[in-house]
Amino acid sequence: MAAARSGERPSLFVAAAYKAGTALPLRGGFMAKIVFVLNGPNLNLLGTREPQTYGRATLKDVETLTRAAAASHQLKVEFRQSNHEGELVDWIQEAAAKKAVGIVINPAGYTTTSVAILDAILAVKLPVIEVHISNIHARESFRHDSYVSKAAKAVICGFGIEGYGLAVAGLAALAGAGSK
Ligand code: DHK
């Protein structure tokens, strides 16, 4: 897709791309790139779920933090959570169809079980940053072996919800996105 040059008004062609969901126009006419931020099972319960391990921040707080980090790199965010493996697979495929610059994913309980999520990541060839709020390596051994890590560009764990912001910054660097 031809990107509008900085300062140009978006063309009809660009508007069509926006409608198709492949890009988002910003003021000044250039196109924001999109990052998909996907959250797996039980992360909807952040804030009340095992706060000694996952902290008191809610998923809404994670979304706010992630959007702020993305905005500072002129990136837009698709922020989603599901308790269902297939829905996460669908969203990974959707990220590719919409030409996202990459995916930040906290696969949560599917980290150590989901060949389907691993295969989706391998299929789409987008850079994927795997995030865990807790340091999974300091926890039970069954949390250590991640299928997702086999295809992830990078893995961040143990920084609490700040890990999402770090992941977005990493993707922005990979994508060559600007910063403000
Ligand atoms: C979240 C989960 O739900 C667990 O299943 C993972 C991860 C760890 C986290 O730290 O964000 O083992």
mmCIF file of all heavy atoms in Angstrom, residues 39-43 46 49-50 53-54 106-112 131-136 139-140 142-144 156-158 160 164, ligand 1:
data_model
loop_
_atom_site.group_PDB
_atom_site.id
_atom_site.type_symbol
_atom_site.label_atom_id
_atom_site.label_comp_id
_atom_site.label_asym_id
_atom_site.label_seq_id
_atom_site.Cartn_x
_atom_site.Cartn_y
_atom_site.Cartn_z
ATOM 1 N N ASN A 39 -4.377 -10.508 24.996
ATOM 2 C CA ASN A 39 -4.290 -11.028 26.362
ATOM 3 C C ASN A 39 -5.092 -12.310 26.483
ATOM 4 O O ASN A 39 -6.253 -12.366 26.057
ATOM 5 C CB ASN A 39 -4.850 -9.989 27.331
ATOM 6 C CG ASN A 39 -4.000 -8.741 27.367
ATOM 7 O OD1 ASN A 39 -2.982 -8.709 28.052
ATOM 8 N ND2 ASN A 39 -4.387 -7.727 26.608
ATOM 9 N N GLY A 40 -4.477 -13.312 27.089
ATOM 10 C CA GLY A 40 -5.103 -14.614 27.212
ATOM 11 C C GLY A 40 -5.963 -14.770 28.451
ATOM 12 O O GLY A 40 -6.331 -13.790 29.109
ATOM 13 N N PRO A 41 -6.263 -16.027 28.786
ATOM 14 C CA PRO A 41 -7.260 -16.327 29.808
ATOM 15 C C PRO A 41 -6.934 -15.789 31.196
ATOM 16 O O PRO A 41 -5.771 -15.769 31.600
ATOM 17 C CB PRO A 41 -7.311 -17.864 29.818
ATOM 18 C CG PRO A 41 -6.098 -18.312 29.090
ATOM 19 C CD PRO A 41 -5.723 -17.230 28.142
ATOM 20 N N ASN A 42 -7.994 -15.357 31.839
ATOM 21 C CA ASN A 42 -7.979 -14.883 33.231
ATOM 22 C C ASN A 42 -7.367 -13.499 33.413
ATOM 23 O O ASN A 42 -7.407 -12.952 34.516
ATOM 24 C CB ASN A 42 -7.284 -15.906 34.162
ATOM 25 C CG ASN A 42 -7.991 -17.246 34.134
ATOM 26 O OD1 ASN A 42 -9.192 -17.305 34.393
ATOM 27 N ND2 ASN A 42 -7.289 -18.307 33.785
ATOM 28 N N LEU A 43 -6.820 -12.929 32.341
ATOM 29 C CA LEU A 43 -6.250 -11.582 32.488
ATOM 30 C C LEU A 43 -7.351 -10.528 32.611
ATOM 31 O O LEU A 43 -7.080 -9.410 33.038
ATOM 32 C CB LEU A 43 -5.284 -11.285 31.335
ATOM 33 C CG LEU A 43 -4.022 -12.166 31.387
ATOM 34 C CD1 LEU A 43 -3.196 -12.018 30.118
ATOM 35 C CD2 LEU A 43 -3.163 -11.849 32.610
ATOM 36 N N LEU A 46 -7.454 -9.276 36.189
ATOM 37 C CA LEU A 46 -6.342 -8.519 36.798
ATOM 38 C C LEU A 46 -6.897 -7.459 37.741
ATOM 39 O O LEU A 46 -7.902 -6.811 37.449
ATOM 40 C CB LEU A 46 -5.504 -7.824 35.718
ATOM 41 C CG LEU A 46 -4.478 -8.675 34.973
ATOM 42 C CD1 LEU A 46 -3.771 -7.822 33.928
ATOM 43 C CD2 LEU A 46 -3.474 -9.314 35.932
ATOM 44 N N ARG A 49 -7.218 -10.763 40.870
ATOM 45 C CA ARG A 49 -6.683 -12.125 40.766
ATOM 46 C C ARG A 49 -5.276 -12.198 41.377
ATOM 47 O O ARG A 49 -4.362 -11.525 40.890
ATOM 48 C CB ARG A 49 -6.605 -12.476 39.277
ATOM 49 C CG ARG A 49 -5.907 -13.755 38.976
ATOM 50 C CD ARG A 49 -5.559 -13.828 37.493
ATOM 51 N NE ARG A 49 -4.942 -15.090 37.204
ATOM 52 C CZ ARG A 49 -4.162 -15.311 36.158
ATOM 53 N NH1 ARG A 49 -3.905 -14.346 35.299
ATOM 54 N NH2 ARG A 49 -3.628 -16.487 35.968
ATOM 55 N N GLU A 50 -5.092 -13.004 42.383
ATOM 56 C CA GLU A 50 -3.767 -13.219 42.991
ATOM 57 C C GLU A 50 -2.909 -11.938 42.973
ATOM 58 O O GLU A 50 -1.847 -11.908 42.342
ATOM 59 C CB GLU A 50 -3.016 -14.333 42.259
ATOM 60 C CG GLU A 50 -3.722 -15.679 42.301
ATOM 61 C CD GLU A 50 -2.947 -16.737 41.538
ATOM 62 O OE1 GLU A 50 -1.973 -17.264 42.099
ATOM 63 O OE2 GLU A 50 -3.296 -17.015 40.373
ATOM 64 N N THR A 53 0.850 -11.827 43.151
ATOM 65 C CA THR A 53 1.636 -12.251 41.978
ATOM 66 C C THR A 53 1.477 -11.274 40.808
ATOM 67 O O THR A 53 2.450 -10.942 40.121
ATOM 68 C CB THR A 53 1.166 -13.649 41.505
ATOM 69 O OG1 THR A 53 1.345 -14.562 42.577
ATOM 70 C CG2 THR A 53 1.945 -14.123 40.291
ATOM 71 N N TYR A 54 0.239 -10.808 40.589
ATOM 72 C CA TYR A 54 -0.042 -10.017 39.376
ATOM 73 C C TYR A 54 -0.274 -8.537 39.666
ATOM 74 O O TYR A 54 -0.443 -7.749 38.729
ATOM 75 C CB TYR A 54 -1.262 -10.602 38.650
ATOM 76 C CG TYR A 54 -1.038 -12.023 38.186
ATOM 77 C CD1 TYR A 54 -1.680 -13.085 38.808
ATOM 78 C CD2 TYR A 54 -0.138 -12.301 37.156
ATOM 79 C CE1 TYR A 54 -1.459 -14.399 38.401
ATOM 80 C CE2 TYR A 54 0.090 -13.605 36.748
ATOM 81 C CZ TYR A 54 -0.567 -14.649 37.368
ATOM 82 O OH TYR A 54 -0.328 -15.940 36.954
ATOM 83 N N ASN A 106 0.307 -11.600 25.774
ATOM 84 C CA ASN A 106 0.452 -12.331 27.033
ATOM 85 C C ASN A 106 -0.464 -13.550 26.901
ATOM 86 O O ASN A 106 -1.675 -13.442 27.079
ATOM 87 C CB ASN A 106 0.045 -11.478 28.232
ATOM 88 C CG ASN A 106 0.275 -12.233 29.538
ATOM 89 O OD1 ASN A 106 0.434 -13.446 29.556
ATOM 90 N ND2 ASN A 106 0.292 -11.492 30.640
ATOM 91 N N PRO A 107 0.111 -14.709 26.564
ATOM 92 C CA PRO A 107 -0.729 -15.889 26.312
ATOM 93 C C PRO A 107 -1.273 -16.504 27.598
ATOM 94 O O PRO A 107 -2.074 -17.447 27.536
ATOM 95 C CB PRO A 107 0.225 -16.865 25.608
ATOM 96 C CG PRO A 107 1.526 -16.143 25.444
ATOM 97 C CD PRO A 107 1.536 -14.992 26.370
ATOM 98 N N ALA A 108 -0.791 -16.014 28.744
ATOM 99 C CA ALA A 108 -1.260 -16.475 30.055
ATOM 100 C C ALA A 108 -1.214 -18.007 30.116
ATOM 101 O O ALA A 108 -0.198 -18.601 29.777
ATOM 102 C CB ALA A 108 -2.637 -15.890 30.349
ATOM 103 N N GLY A 109 -2.328 -18.624 30.504
ATOM 104 C CA GLY A 109 -2.312 -20.081 30.694
ATOM 105 C C GLY A 109 -2.089 -20.881 29.425
ATOM 106 O O GLY A 109 -1.782 -22.079 29.500
ATOM 107 N N TYR A 110 -2.227 -20.248 28.248
ATOM 108 C CA TYR A 110 -1.977 -20.976 26.988
ATOM 109 C C TYR A 110 -0.491 -20.999 26.612
ATOM 110 O O TYR A 110 -0.105 -21.659 25.654
ATOM 111 C CB TYR A 110 -2.778 -20.357 25.840
ATOM 112 C CG TYR A 110 -4.260 -20.646 25.930
ATOM 113 C CD1 TYR A 110 -5.192 -19.623 25.808
ATOM 114 C CD2 TYR A 110 -4.732 -21.939 26.139
ATOM 115 C CE1 TYR A 110 -6.558 -19.879 25.894
ATOM 116 C CE2 TYR A 110 -6.084 -22.205 26.236
ATOM 117 C CZ TYR A 110 -6.992 -21.170 26.107
ATOM 118 O OH TYR A 110 -8.339 -21.434 26.203
ATOM 119 N N THR A 111 0.324 -20.258 27.366
ATOM 120 C CA THR A 111 1.755 -20.189 27.075
ATOM 121 C C THR A 111 2.379 -21.573 26.938
ATOM 122 O O THR A 111 3.125 -21.837 25.990
ATOM 123 C CB THR A 111 2.475 -19.442 28.226
ATOM 124 O OG1 THR A 111 1.851 -18.175 28.412
ATOM 125 C CG2 THR A 111 3.950 -19.280 27.947
ATOM 126 N N THR A 112 2.056 -22.434 27.880
ATOM 127 C CA THR A 112 2.759 -23.724 27.976
ATOM 128 C C THR A 112 2.003 -24.882 27.331
ATOM 129 O O THR A 112 2.450 -26.023 27.395
ATOM 130 C CB THR A 112 3.002 -24.069 29.465
ATOM 131 O OG1 THR A 112 1.743 -24.012 30.143
ATOM 132 C CG2 THR A 112 3.970 -23.084 30.097
ATOM 133 N N VAL A 131 4.828 -11.362 26.520
ATOM 134 C CA VAL A 131 4.918 -10.651 27.803
ATOM 135 C C VAL A 131 4.284 -11.498 28.903
ATOM 136 O O VAL A 131 3.221 -12.097 28.703
ATOM 137 C CB VAL A 131 4.176 -9.293 27.727
ATOM 138 C CG1 VAL A 131 4.078 -8.635 29.096
ATOM 139 C CG2 VAL A 131 4.875 -8.347 26.754
ATOM 140 N N HIS A 132 4.934 -11.517 30.044
ATOM 141 C CA HIS A 132 4.326 -12.054 31.259
ATOM 142 C C HIS A 132 4.506 -11.033 32.366
ATOM 143 O O HIS A 132 5.605 -10.471 32.516
ATOM 144 C CB HIS A 132 4.978 -13.379 31.669
ATOM 145 C CG HIS A 132 4.882 -14.418 30.600
ATOM 146 N ND1 HIS A 132 3.727 -15.132 30.371
ATOM 147 C CD2 HIS A 132 5.779 -14.812 29.661
ATOM 148 C CE1 HIS A 132 3.934 -15.944 29.342
ATOM 149 N NE2 HIS A 132 5.164 -15.761 28.881
ATOM 150 N N ILE A 133 3.465 -10.810 33.108
ATOM 151 C CA ILE A 133 3.523 -9.841 34.202
ATOM 152 C C ILE A 133 4.487 -10.322 35.287
ATOM 153 O O ILE A 133 5.321 -9.573 35.787
ATOM 154 C CB ILE A 133 2.104 -9.628 34.772
ATOM 155 C CG1 ILE A 133 1.227 -8.961 33.705
ATOM 156 C CG2 ILE A 133 2.133 -8.801 36.059
ATOM 157 C CD1 ILE A 133 -0.269 -9.001 34.000
ATOM 158 N N SER A 134 4.364 -11.590 35.628
ATOM 159 C CA SER A 134 5.222 -12.170 36.674
ATOM 160 C C SER A 134 6.486 -12.749 36.037
ATOM 161 O O SER A 134 6.548 -12.950 34.820
ATOM 162 C CB SER A 134 4.455 -13.276 37.405
ATOM 163 O OG SER A 134 4.126 -14.332 36.498
ATOM 164 N N ASN A 135 7.473 -13.014 36.880
ATOM 165 C CA ASN A 135 8.672 -13.712 36.406
ATOM 166 C C ASN A 135 8.372 -15.210 36.421
ATOM 167 O O ASN A 135 8.511 -15.873 37.452
ATOM 168 C CB ASN A 135 9.864 -13.385 37.293
ATOM 169 C CG ASN A 135 11.115 -14.141 36.843
ATOM 170 O OD1 ASN A 135 11.058 -14.946 35.900
ATOM 171 N ND2 ASN A 135 12.230 -13.892 37.499
ATOM 172 N N ILE A 136 7.970 -15.720 35.261
ATOM 173 C CA ILE A 136 7.521 -17.118 35.197
ATOM 174 C C ILE A 136 8.637 -18.100 35.581
ATOM 175 O O ILE A 136 8.357 -19.206 36.023
ATOM 176 C CB ILE A 136 6.955 -17.481 33.798
ATOM 177 C CG1 ILE A 136 7.941 -17.143 32.687
ATOM 178 C CG2 ILE A 136 5.612 -16.797 33.574
ATOM 179 C CD1 ILE A 136 7.500 -17.621 31.302
ATOM 180 N N ARG A 139 8.784 -19.077 39.209
ATOM 181 C CA ARG A 139 7.562 -19.718 39.706
ATOM 182 C C ARG A 139 7.611 -21.238 39.446
ATOM 183 O O ARG A 139 8.686 -21.787 39.190
ATOM 184 C CB ARG A 139 6.349 -19.048 39.041
ATOM 185 C CG ARG A 139 6.272 -17.547 39.368
ATOM 186 C CD ARG A 139 5.080 -16.888 38.731
ATOM 187 N NE ARG A 139 3.828 -17.445 39.233
ATOM 188 C CZ ARG A 139 2.634 -17.230 38.649
ATOM 189 N NH1 ARG A 139 2.560 -16.481 37.552
ATOM 190 N NH2 ARG A 139 1.546 -17.759 39.157
ATOM 191 N N GLU A 140 6.478 -21.888 39.480
ATOM 192 C CA GLU A 140 6.429 -23.351 39.313
ATOM 193 C C GLU A 140 7.069 -23.747 37.968
ATOM 194 O O GLU A 140 6.912 -23.043 36.972
ATOM 195 C CB GLU A 140 4.982 -23.846 39.327
ATOM 196 C CG GLU A 140 4.178 -23.458 40.563
ATOM 197 C CD GLU A 140 3.335 -22.217 40.332
ATOM 198 O OE1 GLU A 140 3.826 -21.243 39.718
ATOM 199 O OE2 GLU A 140 2.176 -22.219 40.784
ATOM 200 N N PHE A 142 6.209 -25.821 35.772
ATOM 201 C CA PHE A 142 5.323 -26.013 34.618
ATOM 202 C C PHE A 142 5.072 -24.713 33.859
ATOM 203 O O PHE A 142 4.584 -24.734 32.729
ATOM 204 C CB PHE A 142 3.987 -26.672 35.038
ATOM 205 C CG PHE A 142 3.098 -25.825 35.923
ATOM 206 C CD1 PHE A 142 2.281 -24.841 35.386
ATOM 207 C CD2 PHE A 142 3.069 -26.035 37.293
ATOM 208 C CE1 PHE A 142 1.458 -24.075 36.190
ATOM 209 C CE2 PHE A 142 2.250 -25.268 38.119
ATOM 210 C CZ PHE A 142 1.448 -24.279 37.566
ATOM 211 N N ARG A 143 5.444 -23.568 34.457
ATOM 212 C CA ARG A 143 5.262 -22.279 33.766
ATOM 213 C C ARG A 143 6.469 -21.896 32.905
ATOM 214 O O ARG A 143 6.453 -20.888 32.214
ATOM 215 C CB ARG A 143 5.004 -21.157 34.777
ATOM 216 C CG ARG A 143 3.721 -21.325 35.558
ATOM 217 C CD ARG A 143 3.436 -20.128 36.450
ATOM 218 N NE ARG A 143 2.432 -20.466 37.434
ATOM 219 C CZ ARG A 143 1.104 -20.425 37.221
ATOM 220 N NH1 ARG A 143 0.649 -20.003 36.066
ATOM 221 N NH2 ARG A 143 0.253 -20.772 38.162
ATOM 222 N N HIS A 144 7.525 -22.679 32.963
ATOM 223 C CA HIS A 144 8.781 -22.258 32.329
ATOM 224 C C HIS A 144 8.838 -22.501 30.828
ATOM 225 O O HIS A 144 9.487 -21.746 30.107
ATOM 226 C CB HIS A 144 9.974 -22.977 32.985
ATOM 227 C CG HIS A 144 10.121 -22.696 34.444
ATOM 228 N ND1 HIS A 144 11.077 -23.283 35.226
ATOM 229 C CD2 HIS A 144 9.411 -21.882 35.278
ATOM 230 C CE1 HIS A 144 10.957 -22.859 36.474
ATOM 231 N NE2 HIS A 144 9.955 -22.007 36.529
ATOM 232 N N ILE A 156 9.466 -10.800 27.485
ATOM 233 C CA ILE A 156 9.626 -9.902 28.633
ATOM 234 C C ILE A 156 8.816 -10.481 29.779
ATOM 235 O O ILE A 156 7.618 -10.738 29.630
ATOM 236 C CB ILE A 156 9.114 -8.482 28.297
ATOM 237 C CG1 ILE A 156 9.989 -7.854 27.206
ATOM 238 C CG2 ILE A 156 9.073 -7.595 29.547
ATOM 239 C CD1 ILE A 156 9.443 -6.547 26.656
ATOM 240 N N CYS A 157 9.444 -10.686 30.920
ATOM 241 C CA CYS A 157 8.662 -11.150 32.077
ATOM 242 C C CYS A 157 9.233 -10.574 33.355
ATOM 243 O O CYS A 157 10.427 -10.260 33.439
ATOM 244 C CB CYS A 157 8.598 -12.677 32.122
ATOM 245 S SG CYS A 157 10.089 -13.511 32.653
ATOM 246 N N GLY A 158 8.340 -10.373 34.329
ATOM 247 C CA GLY A 158 8.770 -9.974 35.660
ATOM 248 C C GLY A 158 8.744 -8.486 35.927
ATOM 249 O O GLY A 158 9.047 -8.049 37.035
ATOM 250 N N GLY A 160 6.052 -6.684 35.906
ATOM 251 C CA GLY A 160 4.674 -6.274 36.165
ATOM 252 C C GLY A 160 4.052 -5.769 34.872
ATOM 253 O O GLY A 160 4.492 -6.138 33.775
ATOM 254 N N TYR A 164 4.342 -4.443 29.302
ATOM 255 C CA TYR A 164 3.583 -4.144 28.069
ATOM 256 C C TYR A 164 4.158 -2.897 27.387
ATOM 257 O O TYR A 164 4.288 -2.848 26.158
ATOM 258 C CB TYR A 164 2.108 -3.919 28.384
ATOM 259 C CG TYR A 164 1.323 -5.164 28.699
ATOM 260 C CD1 TYR A 164 1.400 -5.768 29.954
ATOM 261 C CD2 TYR A 164 0.485 -5.739 27.759
ATOM 262 C CE1 TYR A 164 0.667 -6.906 30.263
ATOM 263 C CE2 TYR A 164 -0.259 -6.877 28.052
ATOM 264 C CZ TYR A 164 -0.156 -7.461 29.298
ATOM 265 O OH TYR A 164 -0.888 -8.588 29.584
HETATM 266 C C1 DHK B 1 -0.221 -15.026 33.403
HETATM 267 C C2 DHK B 1 -0.881 -16.184 33.598
HETATM 268 O O1 DHK B 1 -2.206 -16.227 33.594
HETATM 269 C C3 DHK B 1 -0.172 -17.443 33.911
HETATM 270 O O2 DHK B 1 -0.845 -18.570 33.382
HETATM 271 C C4 DHK B 1 1.269 -17.429 33.421
HETATM 272 C C5 DHK B 1 1.253 -14.949 33.246
HETATM 273 C C6 DHK B 1 1.964 -16.134 33.854
HETATM 274 C C7 DHK B 1 1.803 -13.600 33.667
HETATM 275 O O3 DHK B 1 2.701 -13.531 34.491
HETATM 276 O O4 DHK B 1 1.339 -12.597 33.119
HETATM 277 O O5 DHK B 1 1.952 -18.548 33.939
#
